[in-house]
Amino acid sequence: MGRTAPEDHGPVRYGPPAPDTGLPVLPALASLVAAAAGRTAPEPPGGGPVLREAAAGYWWRRGLRTHAEDVVAAPGAPVLLLALLAAHGGDLLLPRPCPAWWSPQARLLGRPAYHVPISAECGGVPDPYALLETVRRVRAEGGDPRLLLLSVADDPTATVAPPELVREACEAAVAEGLHVVSDETWRDTVHQPHGTVLLSPAEMCPDDVTVLTDLGGALTPAAWPCAVARFPPTDPSRADRWADRRARVLDVLTALGAVVPGPLAPAAAHALDEPAEVTDRVRRAATVHGLLAAAAHRAVLTAGALARPPQAGRHLYADLGPLRTGLAARGVTDSPELEDHLTARLGTAVPGGHRFGDDLGALRVRCDTGMFLGATGNERDETFAAPDPVAVPHVARALADLRTALEELR
């Protein structure tokens, strides 16, 4: 994590990376990369047919009618989002808070981005009434809102938006002429899939939603850059290149030379096909991180702070506002100072809410559950293999350290 002016907490340009699983590379994926290591040609812009067919199958299994011609692949979600923003034009609307990597893409293009408050229930999706009011205000001030970016399984709040809220927000956006981009990178990290209802906005507004997924969220190592986007299916007989957003995204990716590395493509396609070894790994990772997040959530509440119950991802978003007096006594009065304090105290990065678009004065942080897995590969393997990961000694010590660090602030 870096700041442009660390001495006075100046504008933050770059946010923290997404939390990693902590698992080693799956041998089946590593062998596919090794077998393709001699491939010198990259994938074509937008991905080759095998990779796009695999992505189409991934979405078919989730109830979204998709064909290879509806899919675009790119080397990572940030560059794919950049191409989507460039293809759509206009101003961007974002929930507050939102993933740290969203806003920089709009800044890079010089596009205005407006944050909309979330509801008390969950993050990732703006409050529908606040969304309508923000659109009205932006237009009254001469703005041109065209795009709403949201995430039903959210980073940083670790919540899953209920279907009725997603529907209300998407219908409000579509009624105002906005296109919706749904970042579903974390949908496969839901902690209790049988007890959590997750519906994609594309199921509700099929003609007005583009779905974005970074494979590093659950399927592949974060260091392997590959993301895919699903566009609303278009009748080829009615396709117009100037109005076809997928074609315009391909133009941007081509101009940037943003192509998936050739040796990674077979492994990415294999992961998207979801064989048993991949799905078993995804499910185990989600279960373990869910148990760790729940334990961290209990520690936060016990200390007198606040947090929404985590439902997905590998993190927890804590509001230490109730501990403001104790923090002020230690010279901590805003989010950057809170980040510095907890990062130094816990010995691991604890990014402040300002990196996710929250107010500087809000004392919020995102805690990565990876800090509890263990410091070595052997410790992490022990955590993932344990019937009760929270009871593993090094996990229990790390959780106790978090509890102590928070209780010191009371």
Side-chain angles (χ1 to χ4, degrees), residues 297-308:
H297 181 250
R298 291 192 293 271
V300 168
L301 298 185
T302 299
L306 302 172
R308 294 176 177 86

Side-chain angles (χ1 to χ4, degrees), residues 188-214:
D188 296 320
T189 67
V190 171
H191 302 158
Q192 298 181 18
H194 299 297
T196 306
V197 179
L198 187 154
L199 291 181
S200 170
E203 297 179 67
M204 304 175 180
C205 304
D207 296 328
D208 300 288
V209 177
T210 296
V211 179
L212 170 67
T213 298
D214 193 316

Side-chain angles (χ1 to χ4, degrees), residues 17-21 155 186 216-217 314-315 366 368-370:
D20 191 21
T21 62
D155 171 21
W186 298 99
R314 302 185 281 268
H315 48 278
R366 187 188 73 183
D368 179 352
T369 51

Side-chain angles (χ1 to χ4, degrees), residues 76-103:
V79 70
L80 189 48
L81 177 60
L82 180 73
L84 284 166
L85 296 180
H88 281 269
D91 301 344
L92 178 65
L93 297 178
L94 310 166
R96 182 193 298 275
C98 68
W101 60 274
W102 284 4
S103 296

Side-chain angles (χ1 to χ4, degrees), residues 28-393:
L29 298 182
S31 64
L32 285 169
V33 173
R39 178 178 170 180
T40 58
E43 289 282 284
V50 173
L51 180 56
R52 289 187 290 110
E53 282 285 358
Y58 170 88
W59 277 305
W60 268 108
R61 290 188 295 276
R62 284 152 181 80
L64 295 176
R65 171 178 162 268
T66 312
H67 297 95
E69 58 269 22
D70 305 320
V71 175
V72 163
V79 70
L80 189 48
L81 177 60
L82 180 73
L84 284 166
L85 296 180
H88 281 269
D91 301 344
L92 178 65
L93 297 178
L94 310 166
R96 182 193 298 275
C98 68
W101 60 274
W102 284 4
S103 296
Q105 317 308 317
R107 282 199 299 266
L108 187 60
L109 292 171
R111 297 280 175 76
Y114 300 93
H115 287 275
V116 184
I118 59 176
S119 68
E121 185 176 7
C122 66
V125 176
D127 177 84
Y129 296 103
L131 174 63
L132 292 172
E133 175 58 25
T134 302
V135 171
R136 183 202 62 77
R137 176 176 55 81
V138 170
R139 286 177 175 154
E141 295 173 354
D144 182 24
R146 295 190 193 177
L147 204 60
L148 170 63
L149 189 53
L150 53 76
S151 56
V152 286
D154 184 44
D155 171 21
T157 66
T159 57
V160 175
E164 58 272 18
L165 178 62
V166 177
R167 178 177 292 280
E168 291 174 6
C170 290
E171 288 180 347
V174 171
E176 291 296 328
L178 304 181
H179 187 77
V180 178
V181 174
S182 176
D183 179 4
E184 300 182 10
T185 294
W186 298 99
R187 71 169 296 155
D188 296 320
T189 67
V190 171
H191 302 158
Q192 298 181 18
H194 299 297
T196 306
V197 179
L198 187 154
L199 291 181
S200 170
E203 297 179 67
M204 304 175 180
C205 304
D207 296 328
D208 300 288
V209 177
T210 296
V211 179
L212 170 67
T213 298
D214 193 316
L215 273 61
L219 297 176
T220 63
W224 295 6
C226 187
V228 288
R230 175 200 179 271
F231 291 79
T234 301
D235 184 346
S237 65
R238 296 187 286 109
D240 176 356
R241 184 166 187 80
W242 299 107
D244 184 355
R245 295 186 180 98
R246 180 180 180 276
R248 285 152 60 191
V249 166
L250 286 173
D251 287 342
V252 175
L253 294 176
T254 301
L256 294 174
V259 294
V260 176
L264 290 185
H270 183 72
L272 284 165
D273 284 336
E274 297 183 292
E277 68 266 21
V278 170
T279 55
D280 291 347
R281 169 73 68 95
V282 169
R283 187 70 260 129
R284 183 57 182 166
T287 299
V288 170
H289 282 280
L291 293 170
L292 298 179
H297 181 250
R298 291 192 293 271
V300 168
L301 298 185
T302 299
L306 302 172
R308 294 176 177 86
Q311 298 172 284
R314 302 185 281 268
H315 48 278
L316 176 76
Y317 201 57
D319 183 353
L320 275 57
L323 308 179
R324 186 176 294 275
T325 301
L327 286 165
R330 291 164 174 77
V332 177
T333 60
D334 63 16
S335 178
E337 291 170 349
L338 178 59
E339 174 184 294
D340 290 345
H341 174 80
L342 287 179
T343 295
R345 173 63 179 80
L346 296 172
T348 187
V350 184
H354 59 289
R355 296 184 180 272
F356 308 100
D358 247 334
D359 295 328
L360 285 174
L363 296 174
R364 301 187 183 111
V365 290
R366 187 188 73 183
C367 298
D368 179 352
T369 51
M371 73 170 78
F372 310 118
L373 290 173
T376 67
N378 287 338
E379 286 186 346
R380 290 190 289 272
D381 289 345
E382 181 184 357
T383 302
F384 281 105
D388 182 7
V390 176
V392 174

